[in-house]
Amino acid sequence: MSEDVRLRDVETADLEVFLAHEHDPEAARRSRFAPREREAFMRHWTTRILGDPAVHVQAVTVDGDLAGNLVAWWEDDRRFIGYWFGREFWGRGIGSRAMELFLRQERIRPLHADPFHANTGSVRLLERHGFQRAGTVRHGDDEHILLVLHSPPARR
């Protein structure tokens, strides 16, 4: 049975779910991203993500249920992509289908990603969508893999 994966604009009510996803201990361990306190999280999302017209963000739904989000933003002169999914949606191909849909919308290239080196699922997801290894970067004490997508997806 195929699950219906869709993208839509983020709604304010989605932020509570995204906050819960960020506070999942296994997700924090895999991403090496320290969960923020609620106020800092909400301020970040309302000002730096939803409040910035240069940021492209989409909520991901599966059969109508909120599963996570994908975001593209500028960091100096580089465009980055990031994503976060609730654990109950891991390992079902949802991230891959959502990434395909998002990359059709987000046409800016090159597009960068820098997952934690031990987050093999995230690295594989990006590589399956054409991202290529371009070195490593450090965030604090942690090594992350720098991946770059150079070409936009072919039109279907």
Side-chain angles (χ1 to χ4, degrees):
M1 181 172 145
S2 180
E3 296 173 296
D4 184 27
V5 177
R6 295 181 186 239
L7 302 182
R8 64 163 171 78
D9 290 339
V10 172
E11 301 167 359
T12 303
D14 297 339
L15 301 183
E16 292 294 340
V17 175
F18 298 163
L19 175 64
H21 291 168
E22 186 173 294
H23 279 260
D24 178 292
E26 181 61 14
R29 185 189 71 76
R30 288 182 185 206
S31 67
R32 297 296 290 181
F33 187 86
R36 293 169 280 213
E37 294 298 322
R38 184 180 190 285
E39 186 175 311
F41 177 91
M42 293 298 180
R43 185 173 50 254
H44 174 79
W45 267 85
T46 57
T47 60
R48 297 201 54 205
I49 297 177
L50 298 176
D52 184 343
V55 171
H56 177 204
V57 60
Q58 292 283 278
V60 178
T61 63
V62 177
D63 296 330
D65 295 328
L66 184 59
N69 64 76
L70 290 115
V71 182
W73 69 96
W74 288 101
E75 209 169 283
D76 298 321
D77 62 344
R78 289 181 171 177
R79 186 81 166 164
F80 275 84
I81 187 172
Y83 43 86
W84 206 284
F85 294 95
R87 192 189 318 191
E88 64 272 26
F89 298 98
W90 296 356
R92 295 167 37 189
I94 292 163
S96 188
R97 286 182 292 205
M99 180 70 72
E100 180 181 346
L101 295 171
F102 190 79
L103 290 174
R104 287 184 200 161
Q105 294 178 6
E106 178 58 47
R107 308 287 299 175
I108 297 172
R109 303 293 185 269
L111 188 59
H112 300 78
D114 59 353
F116 179 57
H117 76 93
N119 190 345
T120 57
S122 188
V123 173
R124 280 194 314 267
L125 170 67
L126 291 158
E127 289 178 333
R128 274 195 309 271
H129 288 279
F131 284 79
Q132 298 175 335
R133 293 177 189 235
T136 60
V137 294
R138 295 201 74 77
H139 295 291
D141 293 333
D142 296 322
E143 182 178 298
H144 291 246
I145 298 171
L146 181 63
L147 297 152
V148 181
L149 180 63
H150 292 284
S151 301
R155 294 260 181 202
R156 291 185 185 194

